[in-house]
């Protein structure tokens, strides 16, 4: 009886293990297939010329440079706006706001906002930034729209980071006679920065791959000058890639694949920075 | 920790500086011509994604000749382009169909005069898979029977007893595209198209190509360029023209007009006031009429006759004086 029970438990364990393993393999398999396809198609078109050139009607001459510059400038705007508004909101919600129905309502809705389809933010951006504020179809409008899009994610992850600062540390600060503001600036924020920054960079990584809202707020498809200011016309990498995939000639699919590789590399770099920051500062407490 | 704060501080400073430098650019739009080759200013173009490849070729070459001109080219569809051009947001609006009455009205309400320019031809190609070995040609009536909601033809055998008793799978561009608009006007005559399990709509022509390639009972239509690039897996059907001849789409039949009624002109609409105000725009329009034929051929479309380009060029020159 005893041994039989043991056997079935061991068997169950094996079955579950192989089940979970195959689930992991499936996910990995698709990732490998994606990488294989993108790299086998795009490798031949990926060279310095591709990275430093402007769009061209010929596959061999086409380049993604304005997309790279546009995407990075856009992310710069997004980072600044989302950092200030996002962290401030998180600090208010975590440290200042009274624990009542209203603040709970705000909290839940910010989490809901994180799940709203990106195209909705595009329409919001078109109405507010492009028309109402009169910015027009320019870089600043795109940046603000994208900032709105990732703001909820920044707020939620910053809240998590603030919450994970141990209560003893705060209490100690209050105990020494520090005011709330002093505690926030000198104790809580420094301790939460790695978590906050990781959240910001990861949400920027989401933003850099977005296409839909930017099409609506008028990012250009082909442009032969780099954006010089916040009020320049601009384009971004995903829109260039999207446009290449829609062309009839097969070579354009390879150009698109090369573009995807560039986008992937930038994305992985950003994620690597996030991991590096987390590892460097995490073990303080 | 300080480093991290320093980093975000620097980022902020850089962006603020960028913001300060922004006011200069606006002034550059009002361009003065000082000598040759120093053309400055901006040209903004939006509209049909069908016209986009031709325009990309043109803007690319224009930029090589006049590198100081800022060109931005978008493709938000024929309708999307008119939405912007009828309120004066852009200089040129590409379209794969003529401007609609309500769009014309809107432009008039805003005191905007849009001048139509034909830049190339496209032949909407009705295609089946290479694996399809029974259909060679269709009359426009048969096309209507296949595509119209009101007809009860659902199987190939309903059209011709010798054809297989299999469901007809329809692949069509989505309702927002100018290609659908044209089809809607010429074949459907504004009547509803079939919907349901055997109809697939996509805004991406490559999706239609893939769908039709692999299904011997599929039929669809799209721009000639997409057929020309996939001749080894797709077969274009001959379609009956108004003279009763069965004509297959090709460069010649599209250009000489015998491939009818599915040959369509591709347009760009220029804002006349902008053309008079901005030298960059008028220069670009002339450049377009001088080079559109070649740019069209390069991307698989069909050029107009030289005389047709010349005639339009003369019209433009007249308007400018």
């Amino acid at each position: 009886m005893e041994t039989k029970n043991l056997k079935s438990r061991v068997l169950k364990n094996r079955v579950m293990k192989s089940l979970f393993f195959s689930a992991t393999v499936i996910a990995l398999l698709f990732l490998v297939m994606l990488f294989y396809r993108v790299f086998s198609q795009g490798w031949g078109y990926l060279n310095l010329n591709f990275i430093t050139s402007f769009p061209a009607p010929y596959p061999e001459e086409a380049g993604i440079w304005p997309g790279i510059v546009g995407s990075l400038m856009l992310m710069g705007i997004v980072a600044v706006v989302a950092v200030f508004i996002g962290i401030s909101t998180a600090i208010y919600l975590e440290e200042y706001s009274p624990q009542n129905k209203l603040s709970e309502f705000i909290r839940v809705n910010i989490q809901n906002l994180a799940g709203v389809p990106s195209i909705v933010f595009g329409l919001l951006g078109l109405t507010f930034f492009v028309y109402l504020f009169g910015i027009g179809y320019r870089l600043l409008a795109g940046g603000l729209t994208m900032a709105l899009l990732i703001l909820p994610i920044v707020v939620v992850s910053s809240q998590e980071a603030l919450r994970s600062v141990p209560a003893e540390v705060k209490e100690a600060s209050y105990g020494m006679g520090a005011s709330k503001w002093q505690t926030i600036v000198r104790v809580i924020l420094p301790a939460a920065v790695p978590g906050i920054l990781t959240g910001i960079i990861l949400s920027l990584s989401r933003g850099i791959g977005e296409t839909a809202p930017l099409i609506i707020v008028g990012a250009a498809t082909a442009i032969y000058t780099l954006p010089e200011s916040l009020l320049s016309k601009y384009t971004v990498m995903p829109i260039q890639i999207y446009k290449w995939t829609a062309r009839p000639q097969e070579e354009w699919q390879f150009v698109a694949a090369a573009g995807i590789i560039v986008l992937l590399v930038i994305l992985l770099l950003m994620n690597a920075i996030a991991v590096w920051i987390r590892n460097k500062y995490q073990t303080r407490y | 920790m300080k480093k991290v704060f320093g980093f975000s501080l620097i980022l902020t400073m850089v962006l603020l500086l960028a913001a300060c430098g922004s006011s200069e650019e606006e002034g550059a739009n009002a361009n003065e011509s000082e000598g040759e080759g120093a053309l400055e200013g901006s040209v903004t173009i939006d509209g049909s994604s069908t016209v986009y490849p031709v325009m990309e070729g043109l803007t690319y070459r224009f930029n090589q000749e006049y590198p100081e001109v800022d060109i931005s080219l978008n493709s938000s569809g024929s309708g999307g382009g008119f939405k912007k051009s009828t309120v004066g947001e852009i200089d040129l609006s590409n379209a794969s169909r003529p401007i609609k009455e309500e769009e014309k009205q809107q432009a008039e309400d805003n005191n905007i005069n849009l001048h139509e320019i034909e830049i190339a031809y496209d032949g909407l190609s009705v295609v089946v898979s290479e694996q399809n070995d029974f259909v060679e040609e269709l009359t426009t009536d048969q096309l209507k029977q296949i595509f119209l909601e009101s007809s009860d033809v659902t199987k190939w055998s309903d059209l011709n007893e010798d054809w297989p008793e299999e469901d007809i799978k329809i692949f069509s561009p989505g309702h927002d595209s100018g290609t659908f608009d044209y089809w809607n006007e010429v074949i459907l005559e504004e009547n509803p198209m079939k919907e349901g399990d055997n109809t697939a709509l996509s805004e991406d022509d490559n999706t239609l190509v893939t769908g039709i390639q692999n299904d011997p009972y599929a039929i669809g239509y799209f721009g000639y360029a997409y057929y020309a690039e996939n001749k080894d897996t797709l077969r274009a059907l001959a379609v009956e023209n108004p003279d009763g001849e069965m004509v297959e789409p090709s460069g010649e039949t599209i250009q000489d007009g015998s491939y009818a009624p599915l040959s369509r002109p591709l347009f760009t609409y220029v804002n006349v006031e902008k053309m008079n105000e901005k030298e960059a725009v008028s220069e670009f329009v002339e450049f377009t009429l001088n080079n559109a034929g070649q740019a069209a051929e390069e991307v698989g479309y069909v050029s107009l006759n030289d005389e047709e380009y010349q005639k339009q060029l003369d019209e433009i020159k007249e308007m400018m004086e």
Side-chain angles (χ1 to χ4, degrees):
Chain A
M1 202 57 186
E2 285 277 298
T3 50
K4 206 179 166 190
N5 192 16
L6 183 69
K7 257 186 195 161
S8 85
R9 279 166 57 206
V10 168
L11 184 70
K12 210 181 254 172
N13 188 39
R14 284 222 182 103
V15 169
M16 290 323 278
K17 185 184 158 190
S18 49
L19 213 64
F20 293 142
F21 179 71
S22 36
T24 315
V25 168
I26 288 172
L28 274 178
L29 203 68
F30 279 109
L31 191 68
V32 169
M33 271 159 57
L34 174 84
F35 273 110
Y36 173 75
R37 196 168 160 260
V38 165
F39 275 87
S40 63
Q41 285 195 338
W43 197 248
Y45 279 84
L46 188 67
N47 50 41
L48 200 64
N49 199 26
F50 176 72
I51 293 171
T52 57
S53 293
F54 285 90
Y58 319 105
E60 304 78 35
E61 289 172 32
I64 200 169
W65 183 234
I68 296 177
V69 175
S71 280
L72 292 180
M73 284 184 77
L74 195 79
M75 286 304 118
I77 300 174
V78 174
V80 171
V81 175
V83 161
F84 281 119
I85 302 185
I87 298 181
S88 311
T89 310
I91 291 176
Y92 173 76
L93 288 177
E94 281 305 307
E95 305 296 332
Y96 284 104
S97 79
Q99 299 293 325
N100 58 21
K101 286 252 168 66
L102 180 70
S103 63
E104 188 57 31
F105 180 74
I106 295 174
R107 236 179 287 246
V108 170
N109 273 298
I110 286 178
Q111 278 166 1
N112 284 342
L113 267 186
V116 168
S118 57
I119 193 103
V120 177
F121 284 99
L123 292 168
L124 194 73
L126 181 70
T127 318
F128 278 92
F129 301 129
V130 175
Y131 288 124
L132 206 63
F133 296 178
I135 299 174
Y137 300 101
R138 291 159 199 270
L139 186 61
L140 184 62
L144 292 177
T145 306
M146 203 55 105
L148 274 191
L149 174 73
I150 69 160
L151 199 55
I153 314 173
V154 173
V155 172
V156 170
S157 64
S158 302
Q159 277 182 285
E160 297 288 337
L162 293 173
R163 219 174 292 153
S164 68
V165 177
E168 306 89 76
V169 184
K170 289 189 219 171
E171 302 291 333
S173 174
Y174 293 135
M176 299 300 285
S179 72
K180 194 155 209 170
W181 171 236
Q182 284 174 320
T183 308
I184 290 172
V185 172
R186 297 192 192 154
V187 177
I188 301 178
L189 266 188
V193 155
I196 293 175
L197 275 180
T198 313
I200 288 169
I201 293 177
L202 288 180
S203 46
L204 284 181
S205 308
R206 178 186 168 195
I208 206 166
E210 278 291 347
T211 326
L214 290 179
I215 290 183
I216 295 191
V217 295
T221 327
I223 202 165
Y224 304 96
T225 44
L226 295 178
E228 287 165 343
S229 73
L230 293 179
L231 294 177
S232 293
K233 296 274 177 186
Y234 66 106
T235 187
V236 291
M237 285 186 276
I239 290 186
Q240 284 198 290
I241 294 169
Y242 171 66
K243 224 42 227 178
W244 284 329
T245 61
R247 311 275 296 233
Q249 291 84 0
E250 195 186 15
E251 297 83 35
W252 288 108
Q253 310 303 321
F254 304 150
V255 177
I260 294 171
I261 297 176
V262 174
L263 183 60
L264 272 178
V265 167
I266 292 179
L267 213 76
L268 290 178
L269 265 178
M270 287 172 66
N271 287 355
I273 294 173
V275 171
W276 177 75
I277 290 174
R278 196 168 56 209
N279 289 348
K280 192 164 161 92
Y281 297 104
Q282 201 178 28
T283 47
R284 292 219 139 198
Y285 291 97
Chain B
M1 208 74 56
K2 274 200 175 133
K3 261 189 207 160
V4 180
F5 274 130
F7 172 71
S8 29
L9 203 70
I10 289 170
L11 200 70
T12 319
M13 301 275 268
V14 168
L15 276 151
L16 283 176
L17 278 178
C20 296
S22 66
S23 47
E24 301 162 24
E25 196 230 9
E26 286 298 282
N29 283 354
N31 55 82
E32 297 137 76
S33 56
E34 291 175 302
E36 285 138 56
L39 186 66
E40 284 183 5
S42 67
V43 183
T44 48
I45 311 167
D46 202 336
S48 163
S49 53
T50 310
V51 186
Y52 175 81
V54 185
M55 261 309 163
E56 191 191 41
L58 288 168
T59 53
Y60 177 73
R61 261 181 259 152
F62 187 77
N63 176 254
Q64 287 186 325
E65 208 156 305
Y66 304 100
E68 296 300 311
V69 178
D70 286 341
I71 301 180
S72 105
L73 170 61
N74 261 18
S75 70
S76 43
S78 302
F82 281 126
K83 245 176 230 161
K84 292 180 184 172
S85 60
T86 50
V87 293
E89 284 178 351
I90 54 175
D91 304 326
L92 289 124
S93 178
N94 303 327
S96 57
R97 57 163 172 80
I99 189 167
K100 289 178 182 166
E101 266 318 307
E102 59 260 38
E103 288 160 346
K104 223 182 248 173
Q105 190 57 48
Q106 163 129 46
E108 272 168 33
D109 292 346
N110 292 311
N111 285 326
I112 286 163
N113 186 1
L114 295 174
H115 178 70
E116 178 183 288
I117 298 170
E118 279 186 25
I119 56 174
Y121 287 126
D122 183 22
L124 275 195
S125 305
V126 181
V127 299
V128 295
S129 165
E130 184 58 41
Q131 298 163 32
N132 177 320
D133 52 9
F134 49 93
V135 200
E136 292 290 332
E137 50 185 43
L138 289 171
T139 63
T140 41
D141 274 336
Q142 283 173 317
L143 283 175
K144 276 178 198 155
Q145 288 178 323
I146 293 175
F147 283 91
L148 278 180
E149 169 94 277
S150 53
S151 97
D152 29 319
V153 171
T154 56
K155 292 183 171 10
W156 285 102
S157 53
D158 296 341
L159 280 176
N160 184 330
E161 288 165 13
D162 301 336
W163 291 347
E165 206 184 326
E166 296 279 351
D167 283 340
I168 304 175
K169 307 257 177 58
I170 293 173
F171 287 84
S172 162
H175 292 245
D176 283 341
S177 77
T179 310
F180 176 83
D181 282 341
Y182 193 79
W183 187 259
N184 188 29
E185 185 191 320
V186 174
I187 300 294
L188 305 177
E189 294 171 330
E190 314 278 329
N191 294 308
M193 193 172 76
K194 280 208 176 80
E195 285 175 10
D197 290 348
N198 287 326
T199 305
L201 297 178
S202 172
E203 296 292 342
D204 181 356
D205 292 325
N206 281 328
T207 312
L208 301 174
V209 169
T210 317
I212 299 168
Q213 270 170 352
N214 301 319
D215 189 338
Y217 307 111
I219 186 167
Y221 63 94
F222 37 69
Y224 180 70
Y226 287 86
Y227 161 65
E229 279 305 316
N230 295 286
K231 274 186 175 161
D232 46 336
T233 51
L234 296 176
R235 212 151 49 75
L237 302 180
V239 176
E240 184 194 36
N241 73 11
D243 298 335
E245 298 161 51
M246 290 293 182
V247 184
E248 265 180 55
S250 72
E252 296 83 57
T253 57
I254 294 169
Q255 194 184 39
D256 67 21
S258 59
Y259 183 70
L262 291 174
S263 284
R264 58 170 173 172
L266 301 177
F267 305 98
T268 187
Y269 285 79
V270 60
N271 181 322
V272 177
E273 291 76 30
K274 292 270 172 66
M275 187 166 65
N276 281 319
E277 272 165 32
K278 293 161 77 175
E279 202 190 339
V281 176
S282 59
E283 201 65 44
F284 181 77
V285 170
E286 275 184 37
F287 186 88
T288 297
L289 284 167
N290 282 320
N291 296 281
Q294 199 196 341
E297 299 282 345
E298 270 177 10
V299 291
Y301 296 136
V302 180
S303 138
L304 311 183
N305 295 322
D306 287 345
E307 301 91 69
E308 291 172 296
Y309 287 120
Q310 194 54 47
K311 205 179 111 210
Q312 300 191 72
L313 206 53
D314 295 342
E315 272 173 32
I316 295 286
K317 286 194 175 138
E318 235 167 77
M319 287 169 67
M320 296 296 296
E321 277 147 21

mmCIF file of all heavy atoms in Angstrom, chain B residues 53 57 83 93 103 118 130 145 174 190-191 196 204 222 253-254 256 265 270 282 319:
data_model
loop_
_atom_site.group_PDB
_atom_site.id
_atom_site.type_symbol
_atom_site.label_atom_id
_atom_site.label_comp_id
_atom_site.label_asym_id
_atom_site.label_seq_id
_atom_site.Cartn_x
_atom_site.Cartn_y
_atom_site.Cartn_z
ATOM 1 N N PRO B 53 4.276 53.590 -53.267
ATOM 2 C CA PRO B 53 5.570 53.204 -53.852
ATOM 3 C C PRO B 53 6.030 54.151 -54.964
ATOM 4 O O PRO B 53 7.218 54.459 -55.066
ATOM 5 C CB PRO B 53 5.321 51.801 -54.411
ATOM 6 C CG PRO B 53 4.153 51.290 -53.664
ATOM 7 C CD PRO B 53 3.307 52.481 -53.348
ATOM 8 N N GLY B 57 9.467 56.680 -54.771
ATOM 9 C CA GLY B 57 10.497 56.828 -55.786
ATOM 10 C C GLY B 57 10.694 58.289 -56.162
ATOM 11 O O GLY B 57 11.823 58.774 -56.300
ATOM 12 N N LYS B 83 -8.945 63.517 -45.973
ATOM 13 C CA LYS B 83 -9.342 64.111 -44.704
ATOM 14 C C LYS B 83 -8.386 65.238 -44.337
ATOM 15 O O LYS B 83 -8.776 66.260 -43.783
ATOM 16 C CB LYS B 83 -9.335 63.046 -43.607
ATOM 17 C CG LYS B 83 -10.719 62.779 -43.054
ATOM 18 C CD LYS B 83 -10.689 61.655 -42.034
ATOM 19 C CE LYS B 83 -11.732 60.628 -42.338
ATOM 20 N NZ LYS B 83 -11.475 59.344 -41.699
ATOM 21 N N SER B 93 -2.118 65.133 -51.894
ATOM 22 C CA SER B 93 -2.921 64.043 -51.359
ATOM 23 C C SER B 93 -3.014 62.959 -52.433
ATOM 24 O O SER B 93 -3.597 63.172 -53.491
ATOM 25 C CB SER B 93 -4.299 64.632 -51.037
ATOM 26 O OG SER B 93 -5.162 63.674 -50.559
ATOM 27 N N GLU B 103 -16.076 65.038 -50.371
ATOM 28 C CA GLU B 103 -14.727 65.531 -50.092
ATOM 29 C C GLU B 103 -14.484 66.850 -50.827
ATOM 30 O O GLU B 103 -13.883 67.782 -50.287
ATOM 31 C CB GLU B 103 -13.686 64.485 -50.511
ATOM 32 C CG GLU B 103 -13.661 63.275 -49.595
ATOM 33 C CD GLU B 103 -13.016 62.046 -50.214
ATOM 34 O OE1 GLU B 103 -12.806 62.009 -51.440
ATOM 35 O OE2 GLU B 103 -12.737 61.101 -49.459
ATOM 36 N N GLU B 118 -3.009 63.082 -62.823
ATOM 37 C CA GLU B 118 -2.869 61.637 -63.026
ATOM 38 C C GLU B 118 -1.392 61.317 -63.103
ATOM 39 O O GLU B 118 -0.661 61.933 -63.861
ATOM 40 C CB GLU B 118 -3.549 61.224 -64.332
ATOM 41 C CG GLU B 118 -5.034 61.052 -64.214
ATOM 42 C CD GLU B 118 -5.658 60.510 -65.489
ATOM 43 O OE1 GLU B 118 -4.960 59.838 -66.272
ATOM 44 O OE2 GLU B 118 -6.851 60.770 -65.703
ATOM 45 N N GLU B 130 -2.237 29.374 -59.182
ATOM 46 C CA GLU B 130 -1.654 28.602 -60.275
ATOM 47 C C GLU B 130 -2.241 27.182 -60.271
ATOM 48 O O GLU B 130 -2.348 26.537 -61.310
ATOM 49 C CB GLU B 130 -0.136 28.572 -60.085
ATOM 50 C CG GLU B 130 0.657 27.895 -61.177
ATOM 51 C CD GLU B 130 0.437 28.494 -62.554
ATOM 52 O OE1 GLU B 130 0.363 29.719 -62.659
ATOM 53 O OE2 GLU B 130 0.336 27.709 -63.521
ATOM 54 N N GLN B 145 -21.701 37.927 -60.361
ATOM 55 C CA GLN B 145 -22.334 36.769 -59.724
ATOM 56 C C GLN B 145 -21.465 36.213 -58.600
ATOM 57 O O GLN B 145 -21.961 35.761 -57.578
ATOM 58 C CB GLN B 145 -22.591 35.683 -60.764
ATOM 59 C CG GLN B 145 -23.719 36.050 -61.697
ATOM 60 C CD GLN B 145 -23.934 34.988 -62.756
ATOM 61 O OE1 GLN B 145 -22.984 34.396 -63.258
ATOM 62 N NE2 GLN B 145 -25.186 34.741 -63.094
ATOM 63 N N GLY B 174 -9.749 45.344 -47.949
ATOM 64 C CA GLY B 174 -10.714 45.828 -46.968
ATOM 65 C C GLY B 174 -11.482 47.052 -47.442
ATOM 66 O O GLY B 174 -11.096 47.708 -48.406
ATOM 67 N N GLU B 190 -21.885 49.626 -56.263
ATOM 68 C CA GLU B 190 -22.361 50.102 -54.957
ATOM 69 C C GLU B 190 -23.314 49.137 -54.265
ATOM 70 O O GLU B 190 -23.981 49.502 -53.299
ATOM 71 C CB GLU B 190 -23.032 51.488 -55.068
ATOM 72 C CG GLU B 190 -22.275 52.512 -55.896
ATOM 73 C CD GLU B 190 -21.168 53.201 -55.122
ATOM 74 O OE1 GLU B 190 -21.305 53.367 -53.907
ATOM 75 O OE2 GLU B 190 -20.150 53.554 -55.752
ATOM 76 N N ASN B 191 -23.410 47.898 -54.758
ATOM 77 C CA ASN B 191 -24.230 46.914 -54.054
ATOM 78 C C ASN B 191 -23.360 46.131 -53.080
ATOM 79 O O ASN B 191 -22.161 45.988 -53.286
ATOM 80 C CB ASN B 191 -24.861 45.955 -55.059
ATOM 81 C CG ASN B 191 -25.857 46.667 -55.941
ATOM 82 O OD1 ASN B 191 -26.739 47.348 -55.455
ATOM 83 N ND2 ASN B 191 -25.666 46.542 -57.248
ATOM 84 N N GLY B 196 -19.117 36.584 -44.945
ATOM 85 C CA GLY B 196 -19.242 35.272 -44.305
ATOM 86 C C GLY B 196 -17.982 34.437 -44.406
ATOM 87 O O GLY B 196 -16.901 34.956 -44.674
ATOM 88 N N ASP B 204 -3.888 44.298 -46.151
ATOM 89 C CA ASP B 204 -2.530 44.004 -46.595
ATOM 90 C C ASP B 204 -2.582 43.094 -47.817
ATOM 91 O O ASP B 204 -2.994 41.941 -47.732
ATOM 92 C CB ASP B 204 -1.770 43.330 -45.441
ATOM 93 C CG ASP B 204 -0.341 43.010 -45.839
ATOM 94 O OD1 ASP B 204 0.014 43.239 -47.014
ATOM 95 O OD2 ASP B 204 0.401 42.527 -44.974
ATOM 96 N N PHE B 222 -6.472 42.559 -56.827
ATOM 97 C CA PHE B 222 -5.637 43.607 -56.231
ATOM 98 C C PHE B 222 -4.828 44.284 -57.334
ATOM 99 O O PHE B 222 -4.962 43.936 -58.508
ATOM 100 C CB PHE B 222 -4.727 43.051 -55.130
ATOM 101 C CG PHE B 222 -4.177 41.680 -55.396
ATOM 102 C CD1 PHE B 222 -3.247 41.474 -56.383
ATOM 103 C CD2 PHE B 222 -4.598 40.591 -54.629
ATOM 104 C CE1 PHE B 222 -2.730 40.215 -56.620
ATOM 105 C CE2 PHE B 222 -4.089 39.317 -54.866
ATOM 106 C CZ PHE B 222 -3.148 39.135 -55.871
ATOM 107 N N THR B 253 -1.808 46.324 -72.346
ATOM 108 C CA THR B 253 -3.266 46.407 -72.359
ATOM 109 C C THR B 253 -3.770 47.433 -71.352
ATOM 110 O O THR B 253 -4.817 48.043 -71.564
ATOM 111 C CB THR B 253 -3.913 45.044 -72.055
ATOM 112 O OG1 THR B 253 -3.436 44.571 -70.797
ATOM 113 C CG2 THR B 253 -3.604 44.034 -73.144
ATOM 114 N N ILE B 254 -3.015 47.626 -70.252
ATOM 115 C CA ILE B 254 -3.440 48.635 -69.274
ATOM 116 C C ILE B 254 -3.207 50.038 -69.832
ATOM 117 O O ILE B 254 -4.064 50.902 -69.750
ATOM 118 C CB ILE B 254 -2.692 48.448 -67.932
ATOM 119 C CG1 ILE B 254 -3.098 47.123 -67.284
ATOM 120 C CG2 ILE B 254 -2.987 49.604 -66.991
ATOM 121 C CD1 ILE B 254 -2.247 46.718 -66.111
ATOM 122 N N ASP B 256 -2.878 51.029 -73.069
ATOM 123 C CA ASP B 256 -3.679 51.445 -74.227
ATOM 124 C C ASP B 256 -5.193 51.403 -73.937
ATOM 125 O O ASP B 256 -6.013 51.691 -74.808
ATOM 126 C CB ASP B 256 -3.332 50.622 -75.480
ATOM 127 C CG ASP B 256 -3.731 49.156 -75.359
ATOM 128 O OD1 ASP B 256 -4.604 48.845 -74.520
ATOM 129 O OD2 ASP B 256 -3.185 48.325 -76.092
ATOM 130 N N PRO B 265 -6.726 54.972 -63.189
ATOM 131 C CA PRO B 265 -5.631 55.916 -63.028
ATOM 132 C C PRO B 265 -5.325 56.126 -61.546
ATOM 133 O O PRO B 265 -6.213 55.977 -60.702
ATOM 134 C CB PRO B 265 -6.174 57.204 -63.649
ATOM 135 C CG PRO B 265 -7.641 57.046 -63.688
ATOM 136 C CD PRO B 265 -7.989 55.612 -63.525
ATOM 137 N N VAL B 270 -3.075 68.202 -55.748
ATOM 138 C CA VAL B 270 -2.229 69.226 -55.151
ATOM 139 C C VAL B 270 -3.085 70.423 -54.730
ATOM 140 O O VAL B 270 -4.026 70.798 -55.420
ATOM 141 C CB VAL B 270 -1.105 69.665 -56.117
ATOM 142 C CG1 VAL B 270 -1.663 70.245 -57.401
ATOM 143 C CG2 VAL B 270 -0.177 70.666 -55.448
ATOM 144 N N SER B 282 5.550 73.634 -55.967
ATOM 145 C CA SER B 282 5.375 73.725 -57.421
ATOM 146 C C SER B 282 6.512 72.996 -58.139
ATOM 147 O O SER B 282 6.299 72.302 -59.131
ATOM 148 C CB SER B 282 5.290 75.177 -57.869
ATOM 149 O OG SER B 282 6.455 75.874 -57.501
ATOM 150 N N MET B 319 -1.577 77.529 -64.755
ATOM 151 C CA MET B 319 -2.155 77.917 -63.466
ATOM 152 C C MET B 319 -1.195 78.769 -62.658
ATOM 153 O O MET B 319 -1.605 79.615 -61.873
ATOM 154 C CB MET B 319 -2.491 76.676 -62.649
ATOM 155 C CG MET B 319 -3.695 75.935 -63.151
ATOM 156 S SD MET B 319 -3.817 74.334 -62.353
ATOM 157 C CE MET B 319 -4.157 74.826 -60.700
#
